[in-house]
């Protein structure tokens, strides 16, 4: 996990992500390198859909009262290990606060923290970043602000 934080041009002022791989632990601050433990090979998140990951995060929040955002998150999957990208997810809700969909966009790791903050604040959306990603040869969002394009 450290390589994602240290080697991908992540600005410490913009970093506000936590690596979650257990639904039993309490999380209350952003992950920092060096990360003490490697990700668990038995993590309940492995191989799950964005919808299933969202449900696991809701359970984590309910059971541990962790200080995490559950409607905006990044998934590190098998592809992440190959190209250092993540899948950004946003739980799209209706006026009654029911989740309608879980739109996703593949993004570079260094673009992920700022993108998630922008989604949360309403200054951007997964849909907008999907359009930006579609203009790239590999359909990966790199961040409009990024110097790592």
């Amino acid at each position: 996990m450290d390589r994602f934080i240290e080697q991908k041009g992540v600005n410490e002022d913009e970093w506000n992500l936590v690596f979650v791989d257990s639904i039993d632990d309490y999380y209350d601050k952003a992950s920092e390198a060096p990360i003490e433990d490697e990700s668990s090979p038995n993590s309940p998140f492995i191989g799950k859909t964005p919808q299933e990951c969202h449900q696991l995060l809701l359970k984590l929040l309910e059971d541990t009262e962790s200080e995490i955002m559950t409607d905006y998150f990044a998934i590190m999957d098998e592809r992440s290990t190959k190209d250092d990208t993540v899948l950004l997810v946003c739980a799209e809700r209706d006026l009654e606060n029911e989740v309608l969909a879980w739109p996703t966009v593949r993004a570079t790791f260094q673009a992920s923290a700022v993108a998630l903050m922008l989604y949360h604040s309403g200054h951007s959306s997964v849909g907008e970043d999907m359009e930006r990603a579609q203009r790239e040869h590999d359909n990966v969002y790199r961040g409009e602000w990024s110097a790592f394009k």
Side-chain angles (χ1 to χ4, degrees):
M1 297 298 172
D2 292 343
R3 72 185 176 95
F4 283 97
I5 300 171
E6 294 173 338
Q7 298 176 5
K8 295 299 167 200
V10 175
N11 183 334
E12 287 183 23
D13 296 333
E14 297 166 345
W15 173 259
N16 198 22
L17 297 177
V18 59
F19 289 108
V20 175
D21 72 346
S22 168
I23 58 170
D24 300 318
D25 295 337
Y26 174 76
Y27 300 93
D28 66 344
K29 62 182 179 179
S31 297
E32 297 176 359
I35 293 178
E36 303 288 322
D37 301 315
E38 289 296 316
S39 184
S40 170
N42 300 318
S43 171
F45 294 93
I46 294 174
K48 298 294 192 278
T49 66
Q51 178 181 1
E52 292 167 326
C53 288
H54 183 243
Q55 293 302 316
L56 288 169
L57 290 172
L58 290 173
K59 180 172 176 29
L60 168 70
L61 185 63
E62 181 180 322
D63 292 350
T64 68
E65 298 183 5
S66 289
E67 297 176 32
I68 60 170
M69 290 189 313
T70 58
D71 282 356
Y72 309 92
F73 56 96
I75 296 174
M76 296 180 74
D77 55 13
E78 187 66 30
R79 180 171 169 183
S80 302
T81 65
K82 296 178 178 124
D83 66 3
D84 294 342
T85 62
V86 295
L87 193 63
L88 300 181
V89 182
C90 173
E92 194 173 89
R93 295 181 179 272
D94 65 13
L95 295 176
E96 286 81 38
N97 210 29
E98 295 295 319
V99 178
L100 301 173
W102 290 267
T104 64
V105 64
R106 178 70 52 181
T108 59
F109 188 76
Q110 68 264 25
S112 63
V114 170
L116 290 170
M117 286 189 297
L118 291 172
Y119 302 160
H120 180 67
S121 67
H123 288 93
S124 187
S125 70
V126 169
E128 291 171 321
D129 289 346
M130 286 170 62
E131 290 177 16
R132 292 179 182 114
Q134 289 171 352
R135 293 191 292 258
E136 300 290 335
H137 72 283
D138 57 0
N139 291 316
V140 173
Y141 174 65
R142 289 177 167 71
E144 292 299 307
W145 54 271
S146 178
F148 300 97
K149 288 187 178 185

